[in-house]
Amino acid sequence: RVATSAVNRLGPDDLGAVVYPLWGTPQNFTADRQGLVAAIQQPFMGASAGAVSPAECRCGLCSLETMTTVADALRDVPQRRKILLFIGRVIPIQSMGHCGGRVREARQTLLRSAQVANLTIHVLDLIDEEDWVRTIKGRYERLLLEIFA
């Protein structure tokens, strides 16, 4: 729902793309909203969303590496706002344990690439979407109503 909502809110001159960290059918940059939604709703040919095991993304590095690839691809796109909306469940943020050094290095590489590309990254790490909605409403709904009312 979140990804489809983001696509539906793209402006008339906006382009969107859908990428997956592991296995998935990507949709390159396009203004075709139906194509973007189709790529979101069926990430794998003949498979439902969530069919890939998180174990296939060792230490969560595939998410960071995919975002770095997107940032690098956007580096030479001039004069446009660039936003990456990451919606997922496997994104490492702590540099501890046996993956610590690799996670720290991948995170630093991503941040450098995003800075060079002038790319803003928004992360929605949705484990329980209903819990996430309750949390956001509880934290921000009253504040936003005060600001915009």
Side-chain angles (χ1 to χ4, degrees):
R1 280 189 330 199
V2 174
T4 301
S5 179
V7 168
N8 290 334
R9 285 180 170 63
L10 291 173
D13 296 327
D14 292 339
L15 301 177
V18 176
V19 295
Y20 293 93
L22 289 173
W23 320 111
T25 306
Q27 171 61 61
N28 288 333
F29 285 99
T30 181
D32 175 12
R33 308 302 185 247
Q34 289 179 330
L36 292 166
V37 170
I40 291 165
Q41 291 177 343
Q42 188 169 357
F44 311 103
M45 294 297 276
S48 63
V52 175
S53 165
E56 294 182 49
C57 181
R58 185 154 175 80
C59 300
L61 293 175
C62 59
S63 298
L64 296 172
E65 292 165 349
T66 299
M67 288 189 283
T68 300
T69 300
V70 170
D72 290 342
L74 294 173
R75 179 181 5 187
D76 297 326
V77 177
Q79 307 299 320
R80 291 194 73 123
R81 289 185 310 155
K82 296 173 262 185
I83 299 171
L84 186 149
L85 177 61
F86 177 88
I87 303 168
R89 294 185 178 163
V90 182
I91 183 165
I93 56 172
Q94 295 184 359
S95 303
M96 300 186 320
H98 70 279
C99 294
R102 292 171 41 195
V103 168
R104 184 175 31 261
E105 182 181 331
R107 190 177 58 239
Q108 289 171 346
T109 300
L110 167 60
L111 294 176
R112 279 192 304 272
S113 292
Q115 185 176 26
V116 168
N118 195 27
L119 174 67
T120 302
I121 301 173
H122 296 277
V123 176
L124 301 176
D125 197 353
L126 302 178
I127 293 173
D128 179 347
E129 186 175 347
E130 290 179 17
D131 183 51
W132 180 82
V133 169
R134 281 191 305 274
T135 300
I136 295 301
K137 280 185 86 171
R139 285 186 189 162
Y140 303 110
E141 184 175 42
R142 189 181 79 243
L143 176 63
L144 290 172
L145 287 173
E146 288 174 13
I147 292 170
F148 295 106

